[in-house]
Amino acid sequence: MIFRQKLRNFAAMKQYGTILVVDDNPSILTAMHYLLDSVFERILTLNQPNDILKVMAQEEIDIVLLDMNFTLGVNSGQEGLLWLRTIRKQHPQTPVVLLTAYADVSLAVRGLKSGAADFITKPWDNDELVRKLKDVLEMQNEIVTLDEMEKDHIRRTIDHCHGNLTQAAELLGITRQTLYNKMKRL
């Protein structure tokens, strides 16, 4: 009985879905697996970025933790930025957190401008890394698209006007015909 309760508690701690960790260092992949095992339901790892899109096409990935350098002796971060742009183009809703041992402010800024959700430096602080990943995922769930906001605003305005579409259109600052067209998409 106690074992089952502990197992349920352990399962409840894994509140996040699947993370894909991409790093050329096998020790980093092992460390990430141990660190993130209690946070994520699934941890997928790749030691080279070439299969990222293939894995993302086959699996539902909630977040990617991406190293910035994969070629021995190269530490410019350009490989990571290339893969970041590639992932963002194919999977724009999937957040990508960059990971590098060669951090500088300009590289972090370029990564963020290219669509990275955050930036982590090696060596990392375990608690900070987990917190950043959780923050990115929780923020991702809070973001509402403009279409969703517009639909909600239109519904509330129509409710406020007790179904009077002429009055609702007036309050929204649009024509009645425009309101009809927007309602078709609801």
Side-chain angles (χ1 to χ4, degrees), residues 28-48:
I28 298 287
L29 295 176
T30 301
M32 288 295 180
H33 204 281
Y34 283 119
L35 173 63
L36 301 174
D37 189 50
S38 65
V39 179
F40 288 90
E41 291 175 21
R42 293 184 64 215
I43 301 162
L44 304 178
T45 59
L46 291 173
N47 63 0
Q48 287 297 318

Side-chain angles (χ1 to χ4, degrees), residues 81-101:
L81 292 174
L82 170 76
W83 283 105
L84 168 64
R85 288 189 294 272
T86 303
I87 293 167
R88 299 293 297 149
K89 185 183 273 188
Q90 295 292 320
H91 302 274
Q93 301 303 318
T94 305
V96 178
V97 175
L98 299 175
L99 180 67
T100 186

Side-chain angles (χ1 to χ4, degrees), residues 69-148:
N69 299 297
F70 294 94
T71 303
L72 190 62
V74 175
N75 58 16
S76 67
Q78 293 306 309
E79 292 170 298
L81 292 174
L82 170 76
W83 283 105
L84 168 64
R85 288 189 294 272
T86 303
I87 293 167
R88 299 293 297 149
K89 185 183 273 188
Q90 295 292 320
H91 302 274
Q93 301 303 318
T94 305
V96 178
V97 175
L98 299 175
L99 180 67
T100 186
Y102 304 98
D104 64 46
V105 173
S106 65
L107 181 58
V109 169
R110 283 189 313 208
L112 294 171
K113 283 184 175 180
S114 296
D118 211 331
F119 196 87
I120 297 170
T121 59
K122 299 175 190 173
W124 63 86
D125 173 88
N126 288 345
D127 293 334
E128 182 181 348
L129 184 140
V130 169
R131 182 190 51 75
K132 282 187 175 190
L133 293 174
K134 285 180 176 182
D135 286 350
V136 166
L137 286 168
E138 288 168 6
M139 189 171 78
Q140 185 80 4
N141 292 335
E142 291 176 11
I143 294 174
V144 178
T145 67
L146 288 175
D147 284 341
E148 291 168 344

Side-chain angles (χ1 to χ4, degrees), residues 20-22 44-59 61 66 70 83 86-87 91:
L20 174 61
V21 181
V22 187
L44 304 178
T45 59
L46 291 173
N47 63 0
Q48 287 297 318
N50 300 338
D51 289 332
I52 291 174
L53 295 180
K54 179 180 173 185
V55 169
M56 291 184 78
Q58 295 171 347
E59 302 279 347
I61 305 296
L66 177 67
F70 294 94
W83 283 105
T86 303
I87 293 167
H91 302 274

Side-chain angles (χ1 to χ4, degrees), residues 161-178:
C161 295
H162 305 289
N164 183 331
L165 297 182
T166 303
Q167 186 182 12
E170 207 172 284
L171 278 174
L172 291 167
I174 59 177
T175 67
R176 187 179 164 111
Q177 184 61 48
T178 301

